[in-house]
Amino acid sequence: MSIKKITFRILRYKPGLIDPPQFQNFSIEVKPDMTILDGLEKIRLEQDTTLMYRHSCHHSSCGTCACKINGTESLACTTKIKDLKSISITLAPLDGFRPIGDLVVDISPLFTNISEDWSYLKNSENVKSSQMPEGIKEFKRFENCIECGACVSACPVTHKNKGFLGPAALAALSNELKKSPPKAEDLLSMAGNKNGERLCERALNCSRVCPTGVYPARHISDLHRVLKQK
Amino acid sequence: MEHIIIIGGGGTGAAIAHDLVLRGFEVSLFERGELLSGTTGRHHGLLHSGARYAVHDPAAARECISENKILRRIAPQAIEQNDGLFVALDEADLDYKPLFLENCRACGIPARELTAEQALALEPELNPSLKAAVQVPDATMDAWRLPLHFYATARANGARIHNFSEIIGFSQAEGAVTGIRVLDHQSHREYDVRGDLFVNAAGAWAGKICDLAGIQLPIQPGPGVMVAVNDRLTNMVINRLHKAGEGDIIVPQRKLTILGTSIWLADDPDAVELPKDHGPRLIELGAKLVPAVKKAEIHSMWCAVRPLIAQAEAKDPQEISRDFDCCDHKQRDNLEGLISVIGGKATTLRLMAEKIADLICRKTGRNIACKTKTKKLLHYRMFY
Ligand SMILES: Cc1cc2nc3c(=O)[nH]c(=O)nc-3n(C[C@H](O)[C@H](O)[C@H](O)COP(=O)(O)OP(=O)(O)OC[C@H]3O[C@@H](n4cnc5c(N)ncnc54)[C@H](O)[C@@H]3O)c2cc1C
Ligand code: SF4
Ligand code: FES
C-alpha cells in the first residue's frame, strides 16, 4: 500500500489565543483511500488533540463536516485526499457563519429560516415495488438536504445581504410546498417577501457545491416561476 | 437538586441528560469533540425491531421492540418507517426460519411470513433466487438527528451541554469522586466542575475515563466496518435470515444503501484503522442479498467502535452480548460517586438512560418516576 506525505494547511482560530486566524501546516502520512476527515482525525490523535472540527456520520448524512477544502465548500468525510491531486491541502471554515474555533462555525443561523414544522421525510421514489408491505402506505425517506451549510457559504448574496433566506432554506421551503399544498399561501408569502427568492442573483454556486444533489438554484427558479404566475 | 455530570456526548449521554432534567436534576454534559462524534453518529442507522437478537438474546430483543415502538412515537421525523425483511437464501436459512419465527413471536416482535414472490413484489432488487422472507418492524433512523432530538429537548429543559470539552481528570476526597477537570478545546483553559454524581457514558472510551479515576473497567473496543454505496437499492431494511453474523445487514437511507458490518477486537478505540479486506467482503456478502450492490458505486467506507463488555476467556467477538450494564463503582471498586454505562445499542438509548436515572434516584434517595416513555421530543432543528 503506497503511503504519501501530505501537508494539511489548516486555518487555525482560537478566540483570544490564535486571533486573528492563521494557517498552520501539519504534515501527515496518508494511505490511498483516506478522506480529508480521516486526515483531520489523524492530526488530532497524533499531533494536536485540540484541533477543532465537526464530524459525526462519516458518510455524508449528518452534514456537520462541511468546510472549505482548497477554497471550495465540500464535505470532509467524502472528499478523498487522492482526488484533490495535490500534496498540500488548504482547509478553512465555511464563510458567513460566526467562527467558533478552527474549522468549527456556529451553524445555527442556517436553521432560523428552516421551520421544524417542515417535514424531513418525503416519499421514496427509486425502487419500483409492485406491492406495498402490510401496514405501510408509502415508503418514506429522509430529504436530500443534510443541512450542511455549504450552499450558504458559497452564495454571494448571503454575504451581502444578511436578511436573505438563503439557498438551503428556500430549497427546504420549495420541498415543503410540494408536500403540503394547504400551507402554500404562507410558504409563498415567505418565499416572495423582501428577503426571499427575489434576492437571488443566479450565481448557481449553491447547486455546484451541494454535496447531496439538492440543487437549491432549481428550487429557487421553481419558486420564482410559481410566484410570477400568482 | 443534585448536580449530575455526564461524561460523553453520544446517544447514551443525550438520553441520560434528557431523562435526568425531566426528573428535576441539575445536569451538565461534557463531550470532547462535536456531539455524537464517537460511535453514535456512525452506526448503520438500524432501528432494531429486535428480530436480529430474538434467537440468541431474547432479553435484548424484547428491549428493542419496546424501544422501537417508543422512538417511532417520540421522534417520528428521525425515522424512515419502512419495516424490514429477513431473507432466506438457502436451505439452511429455511431450516432456521421456524426457530426465528417462534422466538420473534415469544418476544412480541410482529413477524409476517412472505413467499419469495411476495418479497420480490415489495423489493424487486432482492436476489431473485431467495427462498422466503419474513417482514418485521425494523426501520432506518438518522444516526445524528435522532439523538439530536434528545439534545434539543434536554437543553430546552435546562441541561447544560458542552461540546469540545474534554474530561482530563477527576478530583476525589474520602473515597468519592467530587469533581472533574475539563480542558476546553476552544480556549485551552482547564477548569474544575463539582458535582454530586458522575456518569461515565463515554462508550468505547469508558475504560479510558475509568483510568483517569484510577479504577479499571472491562471495556473491549469492538470496531466494525460499514460501506455506503450510491443509490437506494431497497426501501426496507434487509437482513439475512440466519444466526446474526458478518455482512448480513443492509440499511437503506436517503439515496444511499449502507452495508454492514464486520467485527474485530481492538485495544485502543482511537487507533482503529480500516482493514483493507473488510469493504470488499461486505460488498460480496451484501450482494448475496441484493445483487445490485456489486454494480453500485462505492460512496464511502468507515468504521465505528462498539463498546463491548470484555470477556475473561477469548471468544468469538460476534458472540459477545450487545446488552448493556450499568455499573456502580461504589459496589465494584469502593469508589463512591461514579457510575459507568457499558455496552448497548443506539436503539435502546432511552431505556439505558431510564435505568441509569433510576439508579441515580436510588443513590440520591429520591423517588421520581421516569417520564421519557411518552414525552414527545422536540424536533432536532430546535437544538440550534
Ligand atoms: C459498526 C457498528 C454498527 C452499529 N450499528 C448499530 C445499529 O445499526 N443500530 C443500533 O441501534 N446500534 C448500532 N450500533 C451500536 C451503537 O452505535 C452504540 O451502541 C451506541 O452508539 C453507543 O453510544 P454511546 O453514547 O454509548 O457511545 P458514543 O457515541 O461513542 O459516545 C461516547 C462519547 O464519549 C466521548 N468521549 C470519549 N472520551 C471523552 C473524554 N475524555 N471527555 C469527554 N468526552 C469523551 C466520545 O467522543 C464519544 O462521543 C453499532 C455499533 C457499531 C460499532
Ligand atoms: S442544500 Fe445542499 S449544500 Fe445546502 S445545506 Fe442542504 S445539503 Fe448542504
Ligand atoms: S461527517 Fe456527516 S456529513 Fe461528513
Side-chain angles (χ1 to χ4, degrees):
Chain A
M1 201 181 290
S2 76
I3 294 178
K4 258 174 93 173
K5 258 210 146 78
I6 294 274
T7 302
F8 272 46
R9 246 183 110 234
I10 303 178
L11 191 62
R12 301 296 305 266
Y13 167 67
K14 298 281 169 107
L17 282 175
I18 312 174
D19 194 358
Q22 69 190 54
F23 281 103
Q24 183 179 355
N25 288 347
F26 294 92
S27 170
I28 54 165
E29 290 188 338
V30 300
K31 290 188 183 155
D33 272 347
M34 275 172 67
T35 63
I36 296 293
L37 179 54
D38 294 331
L40 288 169
E41 294 268 81
K42 209 167 148 71
I43 294 170
R44 176 173 63 90
L45 295 168
E46 294 170 4
Q47 301 188 41
D48 184 350
T49 56
T50 66
L51 178 65
M52 290 170 71
Y53 52 94
R54 302 177 72 217
H55 67 112
S56 178
C57 72
H58 293 223
H59 61 280
S60 77
S61 288
C62 71
T64 59
C65 69
C67 57
K68 289 176 74 175
I69 303 176
N70 286 345
T72 305
E73 287 77 3
S74 325
L75 296 180
C77 68
T78 48
T79 305
K80 287 211 174 143
I81 293 172
K82 71 165 185 248
D83 293 345
L84 295 171
K85 298 193 170 48
S86 59
I87 52 160
S88 169
I89 294 165
T90 303
L91 298 175
L94 294 180
D95 287 331
F97 295 95
R98 182 178 63 86
I100 288 182
D102 298 336
L103 300 177
V104 180
V105 296
D106 174 12
I107 199 78
S108 46
L110 183 75
F111 295 90
T112 314
N113 297 310
I114 305 182
S115 163
E116 51 282 354
D117 295 334
W118 300 352
S119 176
Y120 198 56
L121 292 158
K122 59 180 281 186
N123 288 344
S124 177
E125 69 283 54
N126 278 0
V127 184
K128 301 286 167 256
S129 311
S130 54
Q131 227 176 309
M132 291 298 293
E134 196 174 273
I136 299 207
K137 280 206 278 307
E138 254 147 358
F139 284 129
K140 295 282 179 190
R141 72 166 179 89
F142 300 125
E143 280 289 351
N144 290 347
C145 176
I146 55 172
E147 300 158 332
C148 69
C151 55
V152 173
S153 169
C155 169
V157 180
T158 52
H159 305 310
K160 283 190 284 200
N161 192 329
K162 290 288 167 210
F164 180 39
L165 292 182
L170 285 166
L173 186 154
S174 149
N175 280 325
E176 183 65 15
L177 185 64
K178 285 168 199 152
K179 285 185 278 191
S180 303
K183 290 191 198 153
E185 197 174 329
D186 287 351
L187 291 169
L188 286 174
S189 93
M190 184 173 171
N193 76 18
K194 67 177 196 327
N195 290 322
E197 145 303 298
R198 73 181 68 170
L199 295 177
C200 172
E201 293 172 3
R202 307 288 182 267
L204 307 187
N205 293 4
C206 54
S207 291
R208 265 193 293 274
V209 299
C210 175
T212 53
V214 174
Y215 300 105
R218 262 189 228 163
H219 287 282
I220 295 175
S221 317
D222 285 354
L223 288 170
H224 183 74
R225 214 173 326 107
V226 177
L227 282 163
K228 234 170 84 184
Q229 282 161 5
K230 270 219 328 178
Chain B
M1 283 256 294
E2 288 80 6
H3 181 201
I4 316 294
I5 293 194
I6 302 167
I7 303 163
T12 309
I16 296 173
H18 168 57
D19 190 314
L20 288 174
V21 278
L22 275 187
R23 296 196 207 207
F25 288 97
E26 201 186 318
V27 175
S28 304
L29 178 141
F30 297 86
E31 159 60 48
R32 68 175 179 172
E34 175 55 294
L35 296 173
L36 307 166
S37 61
T39 301
T40 303
R42 287 184 225 189
H43 63 69
H44 302 97
L46 171 53
L47 180 71
H48 286 280
S49 62
R52 188 171 169 83
Y53 304 108
V55 172
H56 66 280
D57 197 348
R62 280 198 191 87
E63 289 172 357
C64 283
I65 185 63
S66 131
E67 292 305 306
N68 174 304
K69 289 183 189 157
I70 293 172
L71 291 173
R72 284 168 187 253
R73 269 199 316 271
I74 66 174
Q77 281 281 297
I79 305 171
E80 296 179 353
Q81 305 197 8
N82 298 330
D83 279 10
L85 296 177
F86 275 73
V87 176
L89 294 181
D90 57 24
E91 294 301 323
D93 294 355
L94 279 180
D95 288 344
Y96 186 73
K97 196 171 82 161
L99 180 66
F100 175 80
L101 287 169
E102 187 187 317
N103 280 269
C104 281
R105 281 166 195 153
C107 294
I109 303 162
R112 191 166 153 261
E113 285 186 78
L114 302 174
T115 63
E117 295 70 40
Q118 285 171 322
L120 282 165
L122 308 180
E123 290 294 0
E125 292 293 344
L126 283 176
N127 185 339
S129 66
L130 85 162
K131 305 280 185 229
V134 179
Q135 181 189 343
V136 296
D138 281 344
T140 299
M141 66 174 125
D142 187 310
W144 158 259
R145 289 173 178 80
L146 182 100
L148 205 56
H149 274 73
F150 282 86
Y151 279 120
T153 317
R155 182 189 265 174
N157 289 324
R160 289 186 294 266
I161 313 286
H162 307 271
N163 53 2
F164 300 105
S165 301
E166 181 177 358
I167 306 305
I168 53 168
F170 286 99
S171 38
Q172 301 184 15
E174 293 159 21
V177 175
T178 53
I180 47 166
R181 190 155 188 85
V182 183
L183 169 64
D184 179 334
H185 286 194
Q186 187 193 31
S187 64
H188 292 197
R189 192 170 68 93
E190 288 184 17
Y191 61 99
D192 296 305
V193 185
R194 299 184 65 81
D196 297 301
L197 275 176
F198 300 80
V199 182
N200 171 11
W205 293 265
K208 291 194 169 187
I209 298 296
C210 282
D211 288 346
L212 294 175
I215 53 177
Q216 289 201 325
L217 189 69
I219 291 274
Q220 174 107 51
V225 173
M226 281 151 289
V227 180
V229 297
N230 281 329
D231 287 340
R232 187 179 178 111
L233 301 172
T234 66
N235 278 315
M236 307 173 81
V237 174
I238 308 295
N239 270 266
R240 177 94 185 249
L241 180 56
H242 67 184
K243 182 163 163 265
E246 242 191 358
D248 56 0
I249 302 180
I250 298 183
V251 186
Q253 178 235 89
R254 276 188 191 76
K255 294 190 288 184
L256 299 174
T257 299
I258 294 164
L259 314 174
T261 179
S262 57
I263 186 166
W264 73 99
L265 296 178
D267 294 324
D268 182 351
D270 281 323
V272 171
E273 290 216 18
L274 215 128
K276 217 175 163 233
D277 53 329
H278 285 217
R281 198 156 76 226
L282 291 178
I283 291 170
E284 201 64 43
L285 290 168
K288 290 189 181 180
L289 290 163
V290 175
V293 159
K294 235 182 187 154
K295 281 180 268 155
E297 184 192 7
I298 296 178
H299 179 76
S300 50
M301 220 183 270
W302 70 100
C303 33
V305 189
R306 296 174 191 80
L308 297 176
I309 300 170
Q311 312 278 319
E313 71 273 31
K315 236 182 156 179
D316 172 3
Q318 207 57 261
E319 304 264 310
I320 301 178
S321 169
R322 305 295 158 82
D323 209 356
F324 66 93
D325 205 357
C326 31
C327 161
D328 181 349
H329 292 286
K330 172 69 186 163
Q331 245 107 69
R332 212 172 155 269
D333 309 286
N334 202 25
L335 179 63
E336 186 55 276
L338 184 65
I339 296 166
S340 288
V341 195
I342 317 172
K345 280 177 286 296
T347 302
T348 53
L349 81 176
R350 192 213 60 85
L351 179 65
M352 293 197 274
E354 178 178 343
K355 298 217 169 140
I356 291 288
D358 284 347
L359 173 62
I360 287 172
C361 281
R362 285 200 296 282
K363 286 186 74 77
T364 52
R366 297 193 180 267
N367 184 7
I368 313 166
C370 172
K371 301 191 187 83
T372 60
K373 262 190 193 148
T374 48
K375 178 113 187 134
K376 207 162 171 201
L377 297 171
L378 293 181
H379 194 280
Y380 70 89
R381 286 187 190 125
M382 310 274 275
F383 181 76
Y384 296 101

